[in-house]
Amino acid sequence: MATENCDAVNMDPDMELLSDEELEREAEGFKEQGNTFYIKKDYGEAFNYYTKAIDMCPKNPSYYGNRAATLMMLCRYREALEDSQQAVRLDHTFVKGHLREGKCHLSLGNAMAASRCFQRVLEMEPDNSQAQQELKNAESILEYERMAEIGFEKRDFRMVVFCMDRALEAASACHKFKILKAECLALLGRYPEAQSVASDILRMDSTNADALYVRGLCLYYEDCIDKAVQFFVQALRMAPDHDKARLACRLKKLDQAIEDCTKAIKLDETYIKAYLRRAQCYMDTEQYEEAVRDYEKVYQTEKTKEHKHLLKTAQLELKKSKRKDYYKVLGVNKNATEDEIKKAYRKRALLHHPDRHSGASPEVQKEEEKKFKEVGEAFSVLSDAKKKSRYDSGQDLEDDGMNMRDFDANNIFKAFFGGPGGFSFEGNSSSGPGNFFFQFG
């Protein structure tokens, strides 16, 4: 049993000298310390000790279950979901693991997945009252989603807001429900409320295209057109297929302007002002190849310093658009501070670290390894003032001797966290409602 549960990876060299039984005792000690901190509601410390137990014995499902419960109390539902899923992968009969997985799905607004988890519990324990109640909650959310969809189609935005408020009582961490509510608040003219909801989401995820769109929508209706366009364009930058942002009235006017300029050029191929205006519209809509083509035509006709500058700017933006967006990889904006970049790396590196997905399918493992490497690349560039400056200016990083093909993300991870066992996870001082059926394993 000890050998099965304590096949640790990346273990501290001192720990490698311990027998399996000693490792198991050490892990149990860490778990008990975690339990003590959990009872005291010191969830940050509880998290740290459960993590130490997992590092000792990464195949013990109860340790993941305990850490999942702690993460739920910290409202870190996505991480809690991963831990609970790992727990049930290790032991498919782990009832508390299935319950916690279902509760995480529910909190994140995925009622269908939550229902499947609670149904699995009821297959094992037909009289489990908690699973019965949570299954009803999931069914209620599905009904509110259905009613909201009908309400939106009928432009009954008050009905949609009502349904989303009810759904959010059980799905408190669901961004999709919050965004739909915010959009309807904007369409009802309740701009401050809509802005507040969108801003709360952007504070947690600055790359959320839907929240950016809602911010733009509020500004548009308040006649702040230029600022609205900035948010619509930013939303498209985060999600190029975001239909609502693309169809926003101001961007449609830009498309119309491009069409008008194209017609003018067909009538007079030497009409420089039409080329310049169309090129600027292409720049505003991030169609950089088209912008470069127009500016090249202008510069060939009139070789002025101003036209040369416009062409070089377009060429630089085109070059930057074809490389990896390291800001997007880390989930920060281009004005992020050094601390924000570090916090973003900490979060993303731990989320995608290969050890965290050792029990996943080969396909998932490969994808997570790729993301882990990209996160390391992004941090190594954005945390270095010289490389960041070169990256922001569109210059090649190869000149700094940085070959991404041979890049080792593990070296960055070890340097950041101080080696195996030398890092701690960031906690969140806020606590969620209820104790999420936490029982010590």
Side-chain angles (χ1 to χ4, degrees), residues 3-20:
T3 301
E4 179 184 353
N5 284 343
C6 297
D7 183 18
V9 292
N10 288 340
M11 191 181 296
D12 187 293
D14 292 337
M15 294 296 102
E16 293 179 355
L17 301 176
L18 299 177
S19 66
D20 290 333

Side-chain angles (χ1 to χ4, degrees), residues 371-424:
K371 290 179 179 178
F372 179 67
K373 180 179 179 181
E374 288 181 343
V375 168
E377 286 180 17
F379 179 71
S380 68
V381 171
L382 300 184
S383 63
D384 184 297
K386 181 180 177 182
K387 291 176 183 175
K388 183 176 184 295
S389 177
R390 292 180 64 83
Y391 177 79
D392 288 342
S393 64
Q395 298 181 55
D396 289 327
L397 296 174
E398 300 291 337
D399 295 341
D400 285 341
M402 188 171 183
N403 188 340
M404 295 305 179
R405 287 170 296 181
D406 300 328
F407 180 82
D408 188 348
N410 283 307
N411 289 339
I412 296 293
F413 186 86
K414 291 175 182 177
F416 185 89
F417 289 106
F423 62 88
S424 61

